[in-house]
């Protein structure tokens, strides 16, 4: 089994007052009211946090060299106001650990400082699991050093194609709130960038747009995973 996936999460915190109000107003059982409270008041907040954190977790995944383990393929770090479970849990190879996270301060920070706080929380949790599994912490520290060298900018080239003296590539820029896809055109020392589109900040969304580059006639096409045209650009053969 290879460890290569990392995620930050914002687990549900029960609100007793809201749950009791739902039980009284809608004649629900405790569990029914709890589920309704989660869907109404927490689900979207959790999703938004997970999407924002993907800016850093996906960069860690891209730079981290998969390591062989006995029974771990993913680590989830739960960001919480209060530690409710100090143990490290393992469910079917997914290790989960809780770390303290100041959500109030996080919301007031600049995007750069938010990225730093997200990465700090992830690394803190990951190191706890690494110590449990006897994995050298230097493996994640090397990734952090690389991220710092890149000023926390999660930007990379997906694919490139050279036609005559011109190079065409797809550039991916992963921000906290979105992922931008660009055409990057290099010719005689000059670089031109053209925005293709902005996508939600999750691999399932922007990753679906990245199928393949294909040349037809005087055009270069970016096709999605379903072979549908995402974008095309004129090229000189």
């Amino acid at each position: 089994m290879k460890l290569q996936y990392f995620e930050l999460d914002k687990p549900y915190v029960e609100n007793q007052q809201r749950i009791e109000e739902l039980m009284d107003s809608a004649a629900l059982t405790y569990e029914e009211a709890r589920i309704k409270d989660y869907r109404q008041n927490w689900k979207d907040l959790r999703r938004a946090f997970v999407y924002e954190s993907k800016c850093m977790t996906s960069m860690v995944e891209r730079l981290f060299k998969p390591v062989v383990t006995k029974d771990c393929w993913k680590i989830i770090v739960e960001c919480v106001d209060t530690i409710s479970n100090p143990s490290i849990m393992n469910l079917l190879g997914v290790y989960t650990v809780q770390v303290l996270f100041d959500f109030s301060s996080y919301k007031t920070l600049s995007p750069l400082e938010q990225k730093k706080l997200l990465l700090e929380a992830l690394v803190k949790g990951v190191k706890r699991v690494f110590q449990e599994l006897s994995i050298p912490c230097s493996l994640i520290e090397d990734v952090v050093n690389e991220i710092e060298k890149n000023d926390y900018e999660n930007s990379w080239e997906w694919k490139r194609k050279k036609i005559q003296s011109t190079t065409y590539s797809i550039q991916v820029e992963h921000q906290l709130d979105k992922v931008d896809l660009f055409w990057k055109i290099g010719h005689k020392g000059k670089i031109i960038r053209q925005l293709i589109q902005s996508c939600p900040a999750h691999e399932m969304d922007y990753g679906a747009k990245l199928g393949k580059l294909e040349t037809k006639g005087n055009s270069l096409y970016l096709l999605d995973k379903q072979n549908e045209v995402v974008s095309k650009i004129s090229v000189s053969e």
Side-chain angles (χ1 to χ4, degrees):
M1 190 173 287
K2 286 187 177 181
L3 169 62
Q4 55 186 330
Y5 298 106
F6 303 88
E7 184 174 306
L8 285 170
D9 194 13
K10 184 178 183 178
Y12 173 59
V13 178
E14 293 184 8
N15 185 305
Q16 293 296 326
Q17 182 179 343
R18 283 201 306 256
I19 291 174
E20 289 174 4
E21 289 173 353
L22 285 169
M23 290 173 68
D24 293 338
S25 63
L28 301 176
T29 65
Y30 185 90
E31 187 60 26
E32 289 170 340
R34 181 179 178 276
I35 292 172
K36 189 169 185 178
D37 177 53
Y38 170 78
R39 290 173 176 170
Q40 289 182 344
N41 301 297
W42 196 270
K43 185 178 180 180
D44 289 345
L45 294 175
R46 183 182 188 182
R47 181 178 183 273
F49 179 72
V50 171
Y51 269 55
E52 284 182 5
S53 67
K54 284 290 182 181
C55 177
M56 286 292 94
T57 57
S58 72
M59 191 172 188
V60 169
E61 289 176 345
R62 184 163 52 82
L63 298 173
F64 183 79
K65 296 178 181 178
V67 59
V68 176
T69 69
K70 180 182 177 181
D71 62 354
C72 178
W73 62 274
K74 181 177 182 178
I75 295 174
I76 296 178
V77 178
E78 294 183 339
C79 297
V80 297
D81 294 316
T82 304
I83 301 292
S84 61
N85 186 356
S87 301
I88 297 174
M89 307 299 291
N90 175 21
L91 179 62
L92 301 176
V94 178
Y95 276 67
T96 301
V97 62
Q98 293 186 344
V99 300
L100 292 175
F101 192 88
D102 190 341
F103 286 98
S104 297
S105 295
Y106 171 75
K107 294 174 184 176
T108 67
L109 297 175
S110 67
L112 176 58
E113 294 304 316
Q114 285 182 324
K115 291 177 183 179
K116 290 181 179 180
L117 192 59
L118 291 169
L119 183 61
E120 180 184 320
L122 179 71
V123 171
K124 186 176 181 179
V126 167
K127 282 187 173 181
R128 277 200 62 200
V129 176
F130 276 19
Q131 290 166 359
E132 177 82 7
L133 300 179
S134 299
I135 298 173
C137 287
S138 59
L139 296 180
I140 191 66
E141 290 168 353
D142 290 343
V143 172
V144 172
N145 290 336
E146 192 66 26
I147 291 174
E148 290 174 347
K149 286 179 185 177
N150 286 280
D151 298 320
Y152 297 83
E153 292 296 326
N154 189 3
S155 176
W156 76 96
E157 180 181 274
W158 173 64
K159 277 188 179 179
R160 69 164 58 193
K161 199 174 188 71
K162 189 169 185 180
I163 301 175
Q164 299 289 26
S165 59
T166 303
T167 300
Y168 302 87
S169 63
I170 301 296
Q171 190 78 14
V172 181
E173 292 192 359
H174 195 153
Q175 302 173 43
L176 287 167
D177 60 343
K178 63 178 179 176
V179 171
D180 290 328
L181 304 179
F182 292 90
W183 283 109
K184 185 177 178 182
I185 306 156
H187 181 69
K188 294 182 178 179
K190 294 182 179 180
I191 300 293
I192 298 173
R193 296 204 322 162
Q194 295 180 14
L195 178 65
I196 298 171
Q197 64 176 253
S198 296
C199 307
H202 196 290
E203 296 93 336
M204 290 188 299
D205 294 290
Y206 71 83
K209 306 293 182 183
L210 303 176
K212 61 182 178 180
L213 289 177
E214 187 172 278
T215 306
K216 291 183 180 180
N218 292 323
S219 295
L220 178 62
Y221 292 82
L222 168 61
L223 303 178
D224 65 16
K225 294 291 179 64
Q226 305 301 319
N227 278 330
E228 297 293 331
V229 176
V230 176
S231 179
K232 75 172 183 176
I233 193 168
S234 297
V235 299
S236 299
E237 294 287 357

